[in-house]
Amino acid sequence: MNAQIHFIRHGRTFANEKSLYCGSTDVPLSESGVKEILDFKSKGVYPKAELFITSGMKRTIETFNLIYGDIDFITIKGLKEYDFGDFEMKSYNELKDRPDYQKWITDEIGDVRCPGGESKNEFYKRVDQSIQQILNEIFRRKAGSTMIVCHGGVISVIMDRLFPKERNFYEWHPKYGLGYTLDFSKGTFRGYKDIETTLKKTESKHKNI
């Protein structure tokens, strides 16, 4: 089976604008986030699809509805953003002097949990399981194209897992409202396209008209 799987990061939120750790906190899009998604939509950035999936959080559902309207989608809760626990809705400057925060950000193995949250390894495992759920839904519905609206950290994990030699985790982080299109065929992921490249081509085309 051949399939295209599109991963889009949700639009900007006030937590993003204030550089706060926001994972499990269910915040909506900001006014500028809404405008940005609608602008991308007007430029034809977002592809059509047969199957739609979100993480079920407000910011992903709002992004999805702005792009595709009020149509049905599947919720996969494992696609939720990293749970920062007690660090939620706090900035680096608020946390930098806390020993538990320093222990977490300097952890190279990935076993240190955010207090009340999860560890990096637990997050990776959860996203791995979600990738399999996505594929199960695609096979079950025989969907040739799937649109998934989720989160920056989740998309970075997926790309880091599937294409580990090309970029590191942080370099995979997509801009708000953008992401990647993955090609899946013969039982494996064979390549990807950066949706930002599509945007740049569209913008260039408009300038030349």
Side-chain angles (χ1 to χ4, degrees):
M1 178 179 178
N2 297 331
Q4 282 196 324
I5 307 173
H6 312 285
F7 287 94
I8 295 292
R9 184 183 184 186
H10 63 78
R12 196 183 305 268
T13 71
F14 79 90
N16 301 137
E17 293 169 352
K18 294 179 179 297
S19 297
L20 306 178
Y21 283 102
C22 180
S24 61
T25 306
D26 204 9
V27 297
L29 299 185
S30 66
E31 184 176 337
S32 64
V34 170
K35 289 179 179 178
E36 197 168 33
I37 295 298
L38 291 176
D39 182 53
F40 287 159
K41 180 183 178 181
S42 71
K43 293 174 179 175
V45 170
Y46 302 115
K48 295 181 180 179
E50 301 168 28
L51 175 63
F52 301 95
I53 298 171
T54 80
S55 70
M57 301 196 81
K58 285 180 183 177
R59 52 196 187 270
T60 64
I61 295 174
E62 288 181 4
T63 300
F64 172 79
N65 286 336
L66 286 170
I67 299 170
Y68 295 104
D70 186 19
I71 60 176
D72 291 339
F73 61 87
I74 296 169
T75 298
I76 295 181
K77 293 183 178 180
L79 291 172
K80 290 183 177 181
E81 185 58 284
Y82 189 96
D83 185 350
F84 295 102
D86 293 350
F87 302 154
E88 286 278 329
M89 305 307 287
K90 293 182 174 63
S91 68
Y92 169 77
N93 286 331
E94 291 177 282
L95 296 167
K96 63 182 181 181
D97 296 325
R98 287 179 52 162
D100 53 359
Y101 177 73
Q102 286 298 324
K103 183 178 180 182
W104 175 66
I105 63 171
T106 57
D107 171 33
E108 296 182 356
I109 299 175
D111 286 337
V112 176
R113 289 180 177 173
C114 294
E118 62 187 333
S119 71
K120 294 168 188 174
N121 287 337
E122 288 171 331
F123 180 48
Y124 265 70
K125 182 177 180 180
R126 169 161 66 81
V127 175
D128 286 343
Q129 292 169 343
S130 298
I131 294 173
Q132 190 56 55
Q133 282 184 266
I134 291 167
L135 292 175
N136 290 344
E137 290 290 345
I138 289 172
F139 291 139
R140 187 167 71 86
R141 297 166 186 266
K142 298 180 180 179
S145 58
T146 301
M147 168 57 72
I148 299 160
V149 183
C150 55
H151 306 264
V154 172
I155 295 172
S156 292
V157 170
I158 291 169
M159 299 303 290
D160 189 40
R161 283 295 206 214
L162 299 177
F163 308 101
K165 296 181 180 180
E166 298 199 26
R167 305 181 196 177
N168 66 41
F169 173 87
Y170 298 101
E171 290 172 335
W172 283 119
H173 221 62
K175 294 179 180 178
Y176 303 108
L178 299 176
Y180 304 95
T181 294
L182 279 59
D183 292 317
F184 184 84
S185 65
K186 297 180 180 179
T188 188
F189 288 93
R190 297 186 174 274
Y192 69 91
K193 294 179 182 177
D194 193 323
I195 291 176
E196 185 176 1
T197 302
T198 303
L199 172 62
K200 289 178 179 178
K201 287 181 180 178
T202 303
E203 289 176 335
S204 177
K205 183 178 180 181
H206 285 171
K207 286 179 182 178
N208 293 328
I209 293 176

